[in-house]
């Protein structure tokens, strides 16, 4: 659970300065993502992996949208995480 909080904290830290009036919404969004990932861990290994991939993919979307940071191969990484969740 601590790793989920750290990941969401990094997302908030990267996005907060550029969010402007949407900053409280980013904090709420991070809290919802953490809740979803933590609850998914109770569904076994596949649920845990799905929760982790959801946390990573949605954090990448938020970081790209608000902080303007883009990882190399962003589209490939995001699509692979999304497809994995869809078919497993």
């Amino acid at each position: 659970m601590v790793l989920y909080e750290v990941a969401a904290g990094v997302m908030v830290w990267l996005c907060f300065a550029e969010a402007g009036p949407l900053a409280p919404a980013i904090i709420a969004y991070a809290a919802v993502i953490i809740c979803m990932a933590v609850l998914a861990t109770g569904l076994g290994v596949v649920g845990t992996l799905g929760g982790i991939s959801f946390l990573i993919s949605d954090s990448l979307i938020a970081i790209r949208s608000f902080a303007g940071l883009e990882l190399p191969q962003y589209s490939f990484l995001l699509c692979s995480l999304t497809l994995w969740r869809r078919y497993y």
Side-chain angles (χ1 to χ4, degrees):
M1 185 166 146
V2 173
L3 293 176
Y4 295 141
E5 292 171 356
V6 169
V10 168
M11 180 190 74
V12 169
W13 178 69
L14 288 172
C15 297
F16 198 79
E18 299 293 326
L22 292 175
I26 289 177
I27 294 171
Y29 183 63
V32 169
I33 290 174
I34 289 173
C35 289
M36 192 283 313
V38 169
L39 291 173
T41 59
L43 300 174
V45 175
V46 175
T48 301
L49 293 175
I52 291 169
S53 69
F54 180 77
L55 178 70
I56 292 170
S57 67
D58 278 28
S59 295
L60 288 174
I61 292 169
I63 290 169
R64 183 179 185 203
S65 298
F66 289 103
L69 299 175
E70 189 168 332
L71 296 173
Q73 301 297 323
Y74 169 82
S75 296
F76 173 76
L77 181 61
L78 190 62
C79 287
S80 64
L81 287 169
T82 303
L83 287 174
W84 182 88
R85 283 195 321 253
R86 181 176 185 95
Y87 292 108
Y88 293 100

